[in-house]
Amino acid sequence: MKERGILSDSDLNKPLNKVVYGVMVLCLAVMACTMLYPILMTMFNGFKSNQEVNTFPPTFFPTVLHWENFKEGWNYINLPMFLKNTLLIFAGNLVVTILVLGLASFSISRIRVPYSKVVYFFILMTLFIPASSYMIPNFVNLKELGLLNSYWAFWLPAGANAYYFLLMKNFFDGIHPEIFEAARIDGASELTSYIRIAIPLSVPIFATLSIFIFSTAWNDWFWPSLVMHTEDKFTLATAIYKYVIQARYLDSSVKFSILFMVMIPPIFVFLGFQKFIMRSVNLSAVKG
């Protein structure tokens, strides 16, 4: 079935609507080119020779494809080890988010918790506090607990993310309460309702949060560089910053080849979860 947009075929026949539609398409095309240009430039620079990368004015397409740059970049840095560390942090953060923040948001949304509105507005107020202001207290607390240079330095703070809490709370508010009332009549506890009803219905919002959590674990380099002290615990972003970006004697073409290899997984992750994002937007927009 063909989906109908904002403008129908009859609307597009009007001259003014055609002009507006053309301008919108042109703006979208410019935005797409602006977003794709850095990715394509990184890829093509990875195929160039080091001399060609540093030429001025720069060229877009390489004259000769140098595949050896990717082989040299793969051998230069231990990408599988840093990728494993990043995925472990992502998996732990996702589990903590579903268990801790999921239960907390479900309790505020569906259970009559005493002073639930006070708790909700208190969590909402924390969104106005800059993350940099409580980075040092978090570091001190983790140091006193002896959790530095461990994955718990990422997993524990993940259970106190106010933004993820509000996203899940708003999603649970959109689920029909009759479903949980029927489960309560059948003798299901609140925990059973969350595990057997709320979680299966919340696949779209969990998939959306998975992308946010994956993006944070993949791109964040500052916090990992503070709490991780040994090379075997570095995340991918931290390793790229320390060993690639700051490398003085590494060819620019090899740097671009490594950066492009690091770009590929997030692109496929986003493409794989894109349908869940759109489903989450649709479900959160239709309530009642």
Side-chain angles (χ1 to χ4, degrees):
M1 181 184 297
K2 183 180 179 181
E3 295 183 0
R4 185 185 185 278
I6 299 176
L7 299 176
S8 62
D9 295 336
S10 59
D11 294 330
L12 291 176
N13 292 328
K14 299 179 181 179
L16 181 60
N17 290 340
K18 286 185 177 181
V19 174
V20 174
Y21 181 76
V23 172
M24 292 175 61
V25 172
L26 180 61
C27 292
L28 291 175
V30 172
M31 291 176 60
C33 294
T34 304
M35 296 177 183
L36 290 175
Y37 177 80
I39 300 176
L40 296 177
M41 196 65 183
T42 302
M43 180 185 68
F44 290 136
N45 283 343
F47 285 107
K48 296 178 182 178
S49 63
N50 188 58
Q51 182 179 1
E52 190 176 3
V53 171
N54 296 319
T55 56
F56 187 84
T59 58
F60 189 74
F61 296 102
T63 55
V64 180
L65 297 180
H66 293 271
W67 293 93
E68 64 274 10
N69 293 337
F70 290 87
K71 182 180 179 180
E72 183 178 350
W74 181 267
N75 295 329
Y76 173 78
I77 187 172
N78 192 354
L79 291 178
M81 181 182 69
F82 300 129
L83 176 61
K84 180 199 70 174
N85 297 336
T86 304
L87 293 180
L88 283 175
I89 293 173
F90 159 70
N93 289 352
L94 182 61
V95 171
V96 171
T97 300
I98 295 177
L99 293 181
V100 178
L101 295 179
L103 285 171
S105 58
F106 181 78
S107 301
I108 297 297
S109 176
R110 292 301 174 189
I111 305 176
R112 294 182 180 179
V113 180
Y115 304 105
S116 59
K117 291 185 178 181
V118 177
V119 175
Y120 175 74
F121 284 112
F122 175 78
I123 297 176
L124 183 63
M125 288 172 58
T126 60
L127 291 174
F128 296 93
I129 303 176
S132 57
S133 63
Y134 53 80
M135 184 174 294
I136 295 178
N138 280 346
F139 179 84
V140 174
N141 291 334
L142 292 172
K143 182 179 180 181
E144 293 178 351
L145 292 173
L147 298 178
L148 294 181
N149 203 36
S150 69
Y151 297 120
W152 287 104
F154 300 91
W155 296 342
L156 285 183
N161 193 306
Y163 179 67
Y164 296 163
F165 171 85
L166 294 176
L167 283 180
M168 286 188 287
K169 194 265 181 186
N170 291 334
F171 187 88
F172 289 142
D173 289 342
I175 301 177
H176 292 286
E178 292 83 2
I179 300 176
F180 300 103
E181 292 176 0
R184 193 177 297 111
I185 293 174
D186 292 338
S189 63
E190 302 298 341
L191 182 59
T192 303
S193 298
Y194 175 73
I195 296 176
R196 304 188 63 177
I197 298 177
I199 290 182
L201 292 176
S202 304
V203 171
I205 190 63
F206 288 152
T208 303
L209 291 177
S210 299
I211 292 184
F212 293 155
I213 297 172
F214 179 82
S215 177
T216 302
W218 193 270
N219 297 322
D220 188 19
W221 65 269
F222 184 71
W223 179 250
S225 64
L226 288 179
V227 299
M228 294 299 191
H229 303 150
T230 57
E231 181 181 351
D232 61 329
K233 293 293 184 66
F234 283 168
T235 61
L236 193 60
T238 303
I240 292 297
Y241 177 75
K242 288 182 176 292
Y243 303 134
V244 178
I245 302 298
Q246 291 187 333
R248 296 183 178 181
Y249 303 104
L250 183 64
D251 290 345
S252 299
S253 57
V254 179
K255 288 184 179 181
F256 279 109
S257 66
I258 297 174
L259 293 176
F260 179 69
M261 287 189 289
V262 174
M263 285 182 181
I264 295 176
I267 295 175
F268 282 99
V269 169
F270 176 78
L271 294 177
F273 284 90
Q274 183 182 13
K275 60 179 181 180
F276 292 105
I277 296 180
M278 300 309 299
R279 190 185 306 173
S280 176
V281 173
N282 294 333
L283 290 177
S284 60
V286 180
K287 297 194 176 183

